[in-house]
């Protein structure tokens, strides 16, 4: 199953978990497991000149999601060694537009006057032809990664598989009858968590770390020991096992979009800039640490997005009109920034240490 649909199935499972007809599969599921330097007016002029009227399709979700991706060192290093053209069997222009965009990124040309705006307008025009434009950053990310699958060498895994994909095996050992169950391996681009679940756990347990909050939410996902296959019907916690992990670990937060300022603040304070994912998955060495390198958030208006990126020794707010951005400072200042500007963090991109990057 494609990673895109793994994410979609998780969302459906959240919605259906309260339905008694579905309790044979899960007794409880808590929300978890997805212009360059020109001003705005100048960018819109570029977009209006693009084929298909891309200006009408412009949204800040794509702009800020791309900028968040551009801030990852492992991505740039991998792209430097990936000179294969996109396969054109899809008959679409999006792969070509993506390749042009990221080729310019590797060569640093993307930061030249006006280049980013032109490349973005070309990408928007191509996307318009094949998918509905979305203001949801998580949906935009999935679409980018899906099209990115076309950029691959027959002798090598695709960039998305190497850098983003999690291969997870779920197992269950019944505490009553001792029967063990193994479920088919699933591939996803990351994990999806409900913001209110994170907030509730943080309020209940105070100083609990973000990664432990995620793990506790996961533990509330239980499955039945299947009677149809010889089980006893007891509910049990499911273990998540991975033998290796990608250099980029993605966490998507789902918001109700009706949160109060206090609720938004409490959720943001629960986040950590460093996590040990061995506390989330079995099969990894202890202290498999990842650090947050970029974050896409949504402002008060649903279509207003921001990108916070860690550059050198500080966090910056990357505006649409500039790669330089506004200085934010420390992680403590990031939390304050989100509180004051009512930003809802939506996509968190964590990056592993260079020693865990795939071989070039």
């Amino acid at each position: 199953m494609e990673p895109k649909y793994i994410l979609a199935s998780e969302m459906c499972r959240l919605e259906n978990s309260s339905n008694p007809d579905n309790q044979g599969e899960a007794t409880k599921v808590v929300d978890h497991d997805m212009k360059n330097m020109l001003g705005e007016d100048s960018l819109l002029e570029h977009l209006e000149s693009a084929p298909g009227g891309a200006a009408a399709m412009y949204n800040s979700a794509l702009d800020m999601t791309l900028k968040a991706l551009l801030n990852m060192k492992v991505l740039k290093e991998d792209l430097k060694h990936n000179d294969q053209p996109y396969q054109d069997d899809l008959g679409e222009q999006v792969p070509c537009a993506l390749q042009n965009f990221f080729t310019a990124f590797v060569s640093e040309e993307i930061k030249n006057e006006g280049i980013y705006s032109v490349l973005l307008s070309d990408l928007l025009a191509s996307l318009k032809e094949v998918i509905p434009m979305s203001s949801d950053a998580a949906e935009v990310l999935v679409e980018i990664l899906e099209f990115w699958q076309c950029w691959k060498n027959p002798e090598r895994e695709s960039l998305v598989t190497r850098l983003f994909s999690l291969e997870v095996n779920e197992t269950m050992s019944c505490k009553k009858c001792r029967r063990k169950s193994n479920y088919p391996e699933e591939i996803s681009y990351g994990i999806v968590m409900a913001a209110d679940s994170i907030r509730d756990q943080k309020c209940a347990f105070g100083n609990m770390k973000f990664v432990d909050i995620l793990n506790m939410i996961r533990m509330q996902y239980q499955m039945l020991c299947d009677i149809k296959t010889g089980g006893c019907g007891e509910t049990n916690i499911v273990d998540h096992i991975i033998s290796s992990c990608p250099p980029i670990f993605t966490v998507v937060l789902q918001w109700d979009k009706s949160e109060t300022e206090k609720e938004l603040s409490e959720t943001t304070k629960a986040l950590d800039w460093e996590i040990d994912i061995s506390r989330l998955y079995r099969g990894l060495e202890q202290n498999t640490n990842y650090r947050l390198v970029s974050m896409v958030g949504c402002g008060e208006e649903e279509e207003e997005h921001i990108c916070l990126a860690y550059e050198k020794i500080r966090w910056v707010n990357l505006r649409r009109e500039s790669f330089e951005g506004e200085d934010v400072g420390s992680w403590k200042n990031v939390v304050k920034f989100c509180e004051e500007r009512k930003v809802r963090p939506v996509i968190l991109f964590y990056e592993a240490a260079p020693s865990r990057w795939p071989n070039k």
Side-chain angles (χ1 to χ4, degrees), residues 64-336:
M64 295 305 169
T65 302
L66 287 170
K67 283 180 177 174
L69 289 168
L70 297 185
N71 198 53
M72 289 182 281
K73 294 179 181 178
V74 62
L75 175 58
K76 186 171 184 177
E77 288 298 316
D78 196 278
L79 288 170
K80 284 181 179 178
H81 297 84
N82 187 2
D83 57 358
Q84 296 297 314
Y86 272 106
Q87 297 180 3
D88 59 3
D89 54 323
L90 296 178
E92 299 167 346
Q93 296 301 312
V94 176
C96 182
L98 273 175
Q99 183 175 18
N100 291 338
F101 187 93
F102 287 105
T103 298
F105 162 57
V106 170
S107 67
E108 300 288 344
E109 291 180 3
I110 200 167
K111 293 187 178 182
N112 292 342
E113 184 74 19
I115 294 295
Y116 179 83
S117 297
V118 173
L119 291 170
L120 180 62
S121 70
D122 288 344
L123 185 53
L124 283 165
S126 299
L127 288 169
K128 171 183 175 290
E129 300 300 322
V130 294
I131 62 171
M133 296 298 290
S134 172
S135 63
D136 186 293
E139 292 180 7
V140 169
L141 173 63
V142 171
E143 294 297 346
I144 292 171
L145 296 181
E146 287 294 290
F147 284 117
W148 225 340
Q149 293 278 14
C150 303
W151 198 357
K152 58 187 177 182
N153 184 322
E155 299 178 356
R156 193 181 183 202
E157 293 178 317
S158 73
L159 179 147
V160 173
T161 300
R162 292 193 304 274
L163 302 188
F164 293 89
S165 297
L166 286 166
E167 298 180 3
V168 183
N169 287 292
E170 292 185 340
T171 66
M172 184 184 70
S173 180
C174 183
K175 60 180 179 288
K176 183 177 180 180
C177 70
R178 305 300 179 185
R179 183 175 180 271
K180 294 185 178 181
S181 301
N182 295 304
Y183 302 96
E185 181 180 78
E186 289 189 343
I187 301 175
S188 70
Y189 296 142
I191 60 174
V192 182
M193 291 283 178
D196 59 351
S197 295
I198 293 171
R199 179 171 62 251
D200 291 345
Q201 295 294 333
K202 182 64 175 180
C203 292
F205 295 97
N207 293 327
M208 179 178 287
K209 293 183 178 180
F210 179 49
V211 70
D212 292 327
I213 289 175
L214 299 183
N215 191 47
M216 181 167 287
I217 294 173
R218 274 179 169 274
M219 290 177 65
Q220 296 179 58
Y221 166 42
Q222 300 181 8
M223 298 186 72
L224 295 175
C225 184
D226 193 359
I227 297 176
K228 294 180 180 179
T229 58
C232 65
E234 183 74 10
T235 59
N236 296 274
I237 294 173
V238 176
D239 289 322
H240 300 82
I241 303 172
I242 55 177
S243 56
S244 61
C245 47
I248 298 171
F249 184 72
T250 308
V251 179
V252 172
L253 303 186
Q254 292 179 312
W255 295 81
D256 292 333
K257 300 178 182 177
S258 61
E259 291 83 5
T260 65
E261 289 186 35
K262 184 175 184 294
E263 289 174 332
L264 193 154
S265 174
E266 289 173 345
T267 308
T268 305
K269 287 178 179 177
L271 308 180
D272 286 333
W273 70 283
E274 184 173 74
I275 60 175
D276 173 10
I277 69 169
S278 70
R279 302 179 72 86
L280 278 176
Y281 299 98
R282 291 175 54 193
L284 298 176
E285 297 178 1
Q286 289 186 350
N287 300 318
T288 304
N289 295 321
Y290 283 65
R291 287 190 174 182
L292 189 65
V293 294
S294 55
M295 178 173 74
V296 180
C298 185
E300 288 188 81
E301 300 296 328
E302 186 174 342
E303 296 186 0
E304 174 197 353
H305 288 78
I306 61 96
C307 173
L308 290 169
Y310 189 74
E311 296 182 351
K312 297 181 179 178
I313 59 172
R314 77 201 196 289
W315 287 88
V316 295
N317 174 30
L318 297 179
R319 298 170 179 168
R320 275 164 46 182
E321 67 272 17
S322 174
F323 270 110
E324 296 301 323
E326 168 192 2
D327 184 72
V328 176
S330 66
W331 174 248
K332 183 178 180 180
N333 290 339
V334 170
V335 174
K336 184 178 179 181

Side-chain angles (χ1 to χ4, degrees), residues 30-45:
V30 178
D31 291 349
H32 83 296
D33 296 282
M34 343 166 135
K35 280 191 198 144
N36 179 39
M37 295 55 166
L38 299 178
E40 179 177 347
D41 292 341
S42 298
L43 171 60
L44 292 178
E45 289 177 6

